Amino acid sequence: MQDSRASMMTYHHFSFEPLNKVACVRPHYNAFITRIYFLWEKHHSFEAHSMDVYPREANVLKELREATDIHPKSYMAGSPMAGQLIAFLLKKENAKRTIEVGVFTGYSLLLTALSIPNDGKITAIDVDRDAYEIGLPSIKKAGVEHKINFIEADALLTLDNLLQNEENSGSFDFAFVDADKRSYQKYHERLIKLIKVGGVIAYDNTLWSGTVAMPETQVPHFMKKDRDAVIKLNAFLASDPRIDIAHLPLGDGITFCRRLC
C-alpha cells in the first residue's frame, strides 16, 4: 500500500550516490539496497506478465483486485506477487493467528483468510472502514468472514490494547504491515512482542518506488518524508538482533522478519 502517492512512478536514469544513512548498518548494505532497486524496476515488467499467466489466483481475489483497480486510491493496493509468497508461507507454517495493520480494500486480508485454517483468526486494523466495505462482499462470497475481526481504530492504540492482555504476548504466528510508513518502527516494537518466536512480520513498501536507492535530490518532494522513514526502517531492521530478515523486490518491496528471541 502506498498511502501518500497520487500515482505510481518509474525511474530509469540515475547516478546513484552513497546512502550514508544506511551505509554503516551492515557491510555492503548500500550496494545491496541499490542492487535491489534495479531488481525492483525489472520486476514490475515481470509482474505485469505474471498476472496474465498466474493460474492459481482465486476468483474472489481476482474480482477484488479488479474492484480495487477502479478505486481512486488503487495505488494503495498490495502486490499480488507478494501475496503469492505470503500465502505460501502461511500455508507452510500452518499459521492460525495473524495480525494485519492496514487493510484498505482487503486483498491481502482475503488472501490471508483463504490461506489459514477454518478455525484461524485475523485481527485486522484500519481507520478506514469504507475501503474495507469494498472488499467485504468478496470476503463474504469466499465464506471466510468468520475468520476476521476487523477493528476500525488507530493501530498503535489497538496493538497497545492487545499487549495489555498477557495471553496475547507471543501468541500470533504472522503479521502483515501496510500502513503509515512513519509509524513502522513503532509497530515493530509492539509486534515483536505479539509474534511468537519463529513467527514472521512482513513490512510492505520497503523500496518506496525505488526512492530508497536514489539521491535525495532526485526524489519528488511529496515522497521524501515517507522515503526517509522507510530508509530509517530498513537500517533499523538490518541491525535488529532480535530478527532475521529477507528484503525482497516484490511489488514495492517487502521485508520479512523472523523473530529470533
Side-chain angles (χ1 to χ4, degrees):
M1 182 186 299
Q2 303 167 13
D3 50 3
S4 69
R5 282 173 286 183
S7 62
M8 286 298 295
M9 293 186 176
T10 57
Y11 304 88
H12 300 285
H13 304 292
F14 298 100
S15 57
F16 289 94
E17 301 171 354
L19 298 177
N20 294 328
K21 293 181 181 179
V22 296
C24 298
V25 178
R26 288 183 181 176
H28 310 302
Y29 192 73
N30 261 357
F32 166 73
I33 204 70
T34 301
R35 175 60 180 158
I36 209 169
Y37 163 69
F38 283 113
L39 292 173
W40 169 87
E41 190 176 49
K42 292 180 180 179
H43 163 76
H44 274 273
S45 296
F46 171 74
E47 183 165 15
H49 165 73
S50 179
M51 292 315 299
D52 288 336
V53 299
Y54 175 47
R56 295 187 180 180
E57 184 182 33
N59 285 336
V60 285
L61 283 171
K62 183 178 180 181
E63 290 170 5
L64 178 49
R65 178 163 55 83
E66 291 173 347
T68 302
D69 283 345
I70 62 175
H71 190 281
K73 293 186 177 180
S74 60
Y75 56 86
M76 292 173 59
S79 161
M81 287 288 288
Q84 290 181 44
L85 182 54
I86 290 171
F88 182 88
L89 289 173
L90 289 168
K91 293 173 183 177
K92 179 182 180 300
E93 297 300 320
N94 193 32
K96 294 183 70 173
R97 293 194 77 197
T98 76
I99 299 174
E100 183 148 337
V101 179
V103 174
F104 191 43
T105 60
Y107 184 91
S108 59
L109 178 62
L110 175 55
L111 178 142
T112 299
L114 291 169
S115 301
I116 63 176
N118 193 52
D119 60 345
K121 294 294 180 183
I122 308 165
T123 299
I125 310 164
D126 203 303
V127 294
D128 183 5
R129 186 174 181 91
D130 289 342
Y132 170 67
E133 294 284 351
I134 293 173
L136 191 55
S138 296
I139 290 169
K140 291 180 176 180
K141 182 177 180 180
V144 294
E145 186 183 11
H146 66 284
K147 301 181 187 181
I148 298 168
N149 176 25
F150 180 83
I151 301 173
E152 184 182 4
D154 175 81
L156 290 173
L157 178 61
T158 303
L159 295 175
D160 284 339
N161 288 339
L162 287 173
L163 285 167
Q164 288 181 8
N165 183 347
E166 292 183 2
E167 293 183 359
N168 286 325
S169 296
S171 68
F172 290 86
D173 303 301
F174 181 84
F176 180 65
V177 182
D178 189 1
D180 171 28
K181 311 311 165 196
R182 297 171 219 178
S183 296
Y184 268 27
Q185 284 186 237
K186 294 178 182 178
Y187 297 146
H188 184 75
E189 291 303 329
R190 290 155 173 81
L191 290 170
I192 200 74
K193 299 173 185 176
L194 291 165
I195 296 296
K196 69 181 184 182
V197 173
V200 172
I201 308 169
Y203 294 100
D204 201 19
N205 303 124
T206 52
L207 290 181
W208 203 239
S209 284
T211 59
V212 294
M214 295 178 195
E216 187 170 357
T217 55
Q218 296 179 1
V219 177
H221 179 73
F222 71 94
M223 299 182 73
K224 285 184 177 180
K225 288 185 178 180
D226 285 328
R227 176 252 193 189
D228 290 346
V230 172
I231 287 176
K232 290 177 182 177
L233 172 77
N234 290 338
F236 171 76
L237 295 178
S239 62
D240 188 346
R242 299 169 295 179
I243 57 172
D244 275 338
I245 68 170
H247 192 178
L248 305 176
L250 293 175
D252 192 31
I254 187 167
T255 302
F256 292 93
C257 306
R258 181 172 68 92
R259 182 181 173 186
L260 298 176
C261 59

